[in-house]
Amino acid sequence: MADTRATGRRIRRTTKTIRATALAVALTGLLSPLSVGCSTVKELDYTPVRMDLEPARTKAKQVSSSLVEMTGVKGKVSEPGPSVTRCREYGDDLFSMSHPWSVYEITDEQVEAGLTNLRKALNGNGWKITKDGKANSQAQDPEIYAENDAEQFALHVTGNKKSATGNAMILFKVVSKCFKAESAKSLDGEY
C-alpha cells in the first residue's frame, strides 16, 4: 500500500514538472521576440543598391526593352509599365520593380524564333540562364528563367503558341532585386 502511495506521489510530481517545463518553454517562445524587439526582418544575401523610384522604373523599362530587342520579334507590346513591390520582410525602405508584359499579335513561328534568339543573346548580354525547358502546365510551353547580377534583375519568359483559348505571344516577367529607397515614406502610395 505504501508503495502505491509513493508511486502516485512520484507520478503527480513528474506530471507537475512536465507541465511546468512545458509552460516555461511556451513562455520562452512567446517572450523571446519581445526581448529582441518585435522585428521579424530577414537578412538579404546582398547589400541593396540605393536608388529612387523613378530611376528604378526607368531601369526596369530599359531592361525590358533590351529583352524584346534580343528576341528579334516584331509584334505589339503590352502597355502597363513597371510597378513597385515593397520588400517589407527585409526592411520598410526596400522595394523591387516588377514588370510583367508581353509581345503579342505574332505567329507560332515567331514565338519559336524569338525564344531561340533570346537564348543565344542572353548569355552574351550579362544574363545567366538558370532554367530552360518546358513549363509545368498542360500546354508545356517553353520557358526560360535567367538572372543578371550586374543589372540586378531576374527574368521569366514563356512562349505561348496559338491554342483554342488564346493567341500566340511571348510573356515576360522582369523583377529586380530589392533597392533601398531614400526613406520608407517615399514608398507610401506607390504601386
Side-chain angles (χ1 to χ4, degrees):
M1 186 75 146
D3 285 337
T4 308
R5 278 192 226 142
T7 303
R9 283 193 298 267
R10 277 196 303 264
I11 290 172
R12 283 192 293 277
R13 269 192 309 236
T14 303
T15 303
K16 285 181 183 178
T17 303
I18 290 170
R19 285 184 188 151
T21 303
L23 181 61
V25 168
L27 286 174
T28 302
L30 290 173
L31 296 176
S32 62
L34 297 175
S35 64
V36 294
C38 294
S39 178
T40 57
V41 175
K42 297 178 184 175
E43 290 287 325
L44 288 168
D45 62 354
Y46 60 91
T47 301
V49 171
R50 167 73 179 85
M51 189 175 295
D52 291 325
L53 289 170
E54 286 313 307
R57 261 195 193 94
T58 300
K59 187 170 185 171
K61 289 177 186 176
Q62 290 169 342
V63 168
S64 293
S65 293
S66 70
L67 291 168
V68 76
E69 287 173 17
M70 288 181 212
T71 67
V73 172
K74 302 294 183 218
K76 290 194 174 181
V77 178
S78 59
E79 287 299 319
S83 61
V84 174
T85 303
R86 303 276 295 253
C87 302
R88 288 191 192 274
E89 66 270 27
Y90 300 107
D92 287 338
D93 60 346
L94 298 179
F95 71 98
S96 70
M97 300 306 300
S98 177
H99 191 199
W101 54 280
S102 62
V103 179
Y104 61 102
E105 290 191 7
I106 58 176
T107 65
D108 287 353
E109 291 77 21
Q110 287 175 297
V111 169
E112 286 181 30
L115 290 180
T116 299
N117 293 340
L118 187 62
R119 280 183 192 96
K120 291 177 187 173
L122 284 172
N123 287 328
N125 285 286
W127 292 87
K128 178 184 174 194
I129 295 175
T130 57
K131 181 184 178 198
D132 187 357
K134 297 192 182 285
N136 188 15
S137 66
Q138 186 174 0
Q140 295 204 333
D141 293 316
E143 69 178 353
I144 300 169
Y145 286 86
E147 297 175 352
N148 188 321
D149 287 335
E151 293 292 337
Q152 299 193 2
F153 277 85
L155 159 72
H156 176 216
V157 62
T158 306
N160 289 359
K161 296 196 176 175
K162 187 171 182 160
S163 69
T165 59
N167 294 319
M169 66 177 64
I170 303 174
L171 302 165
F172 290 83
K173 182 156 188 191
V174 177
V175 179
S176 75
K177 287 187 173 184
C178 293
F179 296 119
K180 185 172 183 63
E182 178 183 357
S183 68
K185 188 167 180 66
S186 68
L187 298 174
D188 289 349
E190 292 291 335
Y191 301 99

